[in-house]
C-alpha cells in the first residue's frame, strides 16, 4: 500500500470517527460514521480484501447505520439534544482511554514480530479472486461457524421483533 | 513502506476513540455508535494481520464479526426502543432504578 494513500485514509478515519463520537446531534454523528466506513472500505481494498470492502459498505453503511437512523427517528431528538453531551464522569473516561492507549503503544513500540506465513499470498488471491478464495475456505473448513452465524441472525430477527413489539399477548 | 505496525497504531487509535465515546457519552444511541467504532477497529487490525501473514482466516473472522455486529445492533436498538417507550428518555444517567 502506498504510504501517501495510507496517510490520507488513516487521517480521514481518525478525524471522522472522532467527529462522529463527539457530535451532539445523533444524525450528524451517523452521517460522519458513514463517511468513516467508506474510508475504511477503501483501506480494505488496499489490503486485498475486495469482498470485505463490499460487505463493509453493504452491511455497515447500508444496513446497520440505516437502522440507527430509523431509531433516531423514533426517539425524541429534541430531548436527546438538550442538556449535557458528556456524562459527569468524563475525566475518568478520557484518562482510562488514554491510559490503555499509552500501554498498548508501549507494547507495540518496536517492530511487531509476525508469526508463520500462510499460503494465501497476494498473487494467489489475485489469480483466484478474493471472493472465491474466501468462499472456498468458508464453505469447507468453516461451514459450522457459518451455520451458527445464520442461527444468530435468526435469533436477532425474532428477538428484535419481540422486544420492540408494543404488547405481548 | 507501510508495515503492520502502522495498521496496529491506526486500529489502536480508532479503538480508543470508541472507548472514549462509550465511557463519556450520555445518550445510549451514541454509546452504540461508539461500540460500532470499536468493532471496526478490531476488523481493521484483523484484515491487516491477514494481509501481512498471507492468511485468509482473519477475513473469515471479520465476516463473522460483521454478522454478529448486525445482530447486536438489531437487538440493542430494539431494547433501546422498549426502554424509550417505558421511560421517555435515552440518557443513561437518568436511568437510576437499580441505584441503592
Amino acid at each position: 500500500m502506498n504510504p501517501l494513500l495510507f496517510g490520507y485514509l488513516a487521517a480521514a478515519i481518525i478525524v471522522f470517527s472522532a467527529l462522529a463520537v463527539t457530535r451532539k446531534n445523533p444524525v450528524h454523528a451517523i452521517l460522519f460514521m458513514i463517511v468513516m466506513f467508506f474510508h475504511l472500505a477503501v483501506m480494505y481494498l488496499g489490503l486485498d480484501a475486495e469482498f470485505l470492502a463490499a460487505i463493509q459498505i453493504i452491511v455497515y453503511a447500508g444496513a446497520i447505520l440505516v437502522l440507527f437512523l430509523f431509531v433516531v427517528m423514533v426517539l425524541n431528538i429534541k430531548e436527546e439534544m438538550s442538556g449535557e453531551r458528556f456524562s459527569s464522569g468524563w475525566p475518568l473516561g478520557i484518562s482510562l482511554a488514554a491510559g490503555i492507549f499509552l500501554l498498548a503503544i508501549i507494547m507495540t513500540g518496536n517492530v511487531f514480530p509476525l508469526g508463520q506465513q500462510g499460503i494465501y499470498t497476494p498473487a494467489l488471491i489475485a489469480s483466484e479472486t478474493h471472493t472465491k478464495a474466501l468462499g472456498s475456505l468458508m464453505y469447507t473448513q468453516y461451514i459450522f461457524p457459518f451455520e451458527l452465524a445464520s442461527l444468530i441472525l435468526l435469533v436477532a430477527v425474532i428477538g428484535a421483533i419481540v422486544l420492540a413489539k408494543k404488547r405481548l399477548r | 513502506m507501510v508495515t503492520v505496525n502502522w495498521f496496529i497504531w491506526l486500529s489502536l487509535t480508532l479503538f480508543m476513540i470508541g472507548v472514549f465515546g462509550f465511557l463519556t457519552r450520555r445518550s445510549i444511541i451514541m454509546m452504540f455508535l461508539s461500540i460500532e467504532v470499536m468493532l471496526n477497529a478490531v476488523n481493521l487490525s484483523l484484515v491487516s494481520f491477514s494481509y501481512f501473514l498471507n492468511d485468509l482466516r482473519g477475513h473469515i473472522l471479520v465476516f463473522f464479526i460483521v454478522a454478529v455486529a448486525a445482530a447486536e445492533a438489531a437487538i440493542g436498538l430494539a431494547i433501546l426502543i422498549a426502554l424509550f417507550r417505558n421511560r421517555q428518555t435515552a440518557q443513561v444517567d437518568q436511568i437510576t432504578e437499580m441505584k441503592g
Side-chain angles (χ1 to χ4, degrees):
Chain A
M1 194 181 223
N2 190 341
L4 269 178
L5 180 65
F6 176 85
Y8 163 69
L9 288 175
I13 285 170
I14 289 172
V15 165
F16 284 120
S17 60
L19 279 174
V21 160
T22 52
R23 285 311 88 189
K24 192 160 204 166
N25 189 334
V27 178
H28 295 173
I30 291 167
L31 293 179
F32 278 125
M33 276 294 270
I34 290 181
V35 179
M36 193 272 271
F37 283 164
F38 272 89
H39 282 94
L40 213 52
V42 177
M43 189 76 102
Y44 289 170
L45 281 182
L47 288 171
D48 290 340
E50 297 96 44
F51 183 71
L52 294 179
I55 285 282
Q56 177 79 14
I57 289 174
I58 294 170
V59 176
Y60 262 115
I64 295 182
L65 287 187
V66 170
L67 200 64
F68 270 89
L69 277 178
F70 270 115
V71 172
V72 169
M73 201 175 69
V74 171
L75 299 184
N76 187 355
I77 197 167
K78 288 260 167 46
E79 200 264 346
E80 192 82 2
M81 283 169 64
S82 69
E84 282 295 308
R85 189 182 313 188
F86 298 110
S87 68
S88 55
W90 66 268
L92 183 66
I94 199 168
S95 49
L96 204 60
I100 303 171
F101 183 71
L102 281 180
L103 203 63
I105 284 283
I106 291 166
M107 279 168 67
T108 58
N110 299 321
V111 175
F112 206 82
L114 283 174
Q116 202 185 356
Q117 298 278 312
I119 57 162
Y120 285 93
T121 55
L124 180 68
I125 292 178
S127 72
E128 205 177 348
T129 74
H130 178 248
T131 311
K132 190 177 168 190
L134 196 66
S136 62
L137 198 58
M138 190 173 306
Y139 287 114
T140 53
Q141 206 176 341
Y142 293 94
I143 186 71
F144 184 60
F146 185 75
E147 300 285 348
L148 275 186
S150 70
L151 189 68
I152 288 174
L153 287 174
L154 180 70
V155 169
V157 168
I158 297 173
I161 293 172
V162 169
L163 283 171
K165 228 169 124 64
K166 263 222 160 60
R167 189 174 294 278
L168 282 181
R169 263 291 89 206
Chain B
M1 188 61 202
V2 180
T3 60
V4 68
N5 272 38
W6 295 26
F7 284 96
I8 293 172
W9 289 328
L10 173 61
S11 155
L12 203 57
T13 313
L14 199 57
F15 191 85
M16 283 312 139
I17 289 170
V19 169
F20 164 73
F22 184 78
L23 290 177
T24 55
R25 293 305 298 253
R26 287 175 72 228
S27 151
I28 294 184
I29 194 150
M30 296 306 298
M31 289 170 76
F32 267 120
L33 218 57
S34 307
I35 292 179
E36 299 297 330
V37 172
M38 285 194 265
L39 285 171
N40 273 284
V42 174
N43 282 353
L44 177 62
S45 80
L46 283 172
V47 171
S48 59
F49 272 124
S50 245
Y51 176 77
F52 287 102
L53 282 171
N54 291 337
D55 204 325
L56 223 47
R57 278 171 221 159
H59 294 184
I60 295 207
L61 200 49
V62 168
F63 181 85
F64 289 126
I65 288 175
V66 170
V68 172
E72 172 256 335
I75 293 281
L77 293 172
I79 291 175
L80 177 54
I81 287 178
L83 180 77
F84 191 73
R85 188 177 294 134
N86 289 326
R87 296 296 318 273
Q88 308 300 323
T89 183
Q91 313 280 340
V92 280
D93 46 5
Q94 292 178 19
I95 303 166
T96 52
E97 276 89 354
M98 300 284 277
K99 199 172 178 182

